[in-house]
Amino acid sequence: MNRWLIVVLSSVVLLGSTHCTKKKDSLAAEAKVLNLAIWGDYISEETKKEFTEKTGIVVNMSNYFSNEELLAKVQSGAGGIDVAVPSDYMVEIMAKMNFLEKLDKAKIPNSKNIAPQFLHQSYDPENTYSLPYAWATAGFAYNTDLIKKDLKSWKDVLSSSDLDGKISLMDDMREVLAMALKAQGHSVNSKNPAEIKSAVELLKKLKPRIKMFRSDTVDLLLNKEVALAHAFSSSALKAMVNSGGKIKYVLPAEGDTKFIDNLVILKSAKHLEAAHAFINFLLTKEANAAFVKTIYGGPVISGVKDLLPKDLQKNEALFPSSNRLSKFEFIQDLGDATKLYDEAWTEVKTAE
């Protein structure tokens, strides 16, 4: 063989070898970082630390307080997000907008641990893009030091003048409008303009009695900044535990919303291996039990209830009866009717 050809081939091999080595080094460096976008107060520092200790992957975290805020971040091109935790209807919206990566189930063997009732939901029938992380309800919580009466429904809240200036509602379009619709006996997914208009009028009437719109409610209740807060069950239960039982969470008699929060990987993710490893870690029985004990979200892994303290096993907010839960609805993607909700929310927020 011509010696010059040998030299050229040797150079190609060397360059190829160097390129492969650099690629492996790059992948190894990428695998040490995971960028997580998640609801506020929805993962414990202990869980993040344990994942890092086991894998060497550092979790960088940013928070949002509504599904619409997450969507706005992604739409604005906010880069760097690998894993996010949208609720059910937002998974469907983000998938339709081509923002989600298909999950490689071979890299998530712990998905077999998920209780069947949380899989194959209408928003992602084959769990192509999402796997459940937690479930919860929305209702209201109040401080029994400040409110002595027993409140059981949204009707009780709306008719109690002694709550004037002491109420917070979530800063979340769908959740607030859902509350107003349910309080009037309508579906949280109503597309009826008259029903939505009626919900707006109820909220405009209520607004002078509202102290603030805010979705992170734990400190509000504990510090007695408000007496009653429209809240997710996980936040309310955390406040209840930290207050020694003085905070009470109510599943309203009329019902409200229920939801499944899901683990997804963004199409723009730069750390795919780390993203799959993180999701797989969160779907162990031990990690899900730790989540319930510290964050008080509903478990999605089979058998976790048996690992919980007796008081949590008996807690109605975590394990409501099927009859009670039947009045709670999943929020759905409303398609073109979303415009009605956008307009309604603007009218509520700008009302005097």
Side-chain angles (χ1 to χ4, degrees), residues 2 29 34 98 108 127 149 238 242 257 266 274 284 293 331:
N2 186 296
L34 175 84
N98 199 32
I108 314 175
N127 292 102
K149 63 177 68 174
K238 186 168 187 177
N242 291 346
T257 65
L266 274 291
T284 63
K293 291 175 186 177
I331 290 176

Side-chain angles (χ1 to χ4, degrees), residues 68 88-90 92-93 96 123 173-175 177-178 181 187-193 196 329-342 344:
E68 286 67 30
D88 30 55
Y89 74 99
M90 189 52 66
E92 183 175 3
I93 291 172
K96 286 178 179 176
Y123 56 86
M173 175 183 75
R174 291 299 304 270
E175 291 293 349
L177 288 166
L181 286 163
S187 168
V188 304
N189 299 302
S190 175
K191 295 182 181 181
N192 185 321
I196 296 170
E329 297 178 72
F330 286 117
I331 290 176
Q332 298 171 0
D333 174 18
L334 300 176
D336 292 341
T338 300
K339 183 180 178 181
L340 296 174
Y341 283 73
D342 290 335

Side-chain angles (χ1 to χ4, degrees), residues 293-323:
K293 291 175 186 177
T294 56
I295 307 300
Y296 304 102
V300 297
I301 301 298
S302 297
V304 162
K305 184 176 182 179
D306 295 335
L307 302 180
L308 302 177
K310 295 296 182 184
D311 60 325
L312 291 183
Q313 291 185 28
K314 296 177 181 178
N315 191 290
E316 187 183 38
L318 282 175
F319 302 102
S321 68
S322 56
N323 181 58

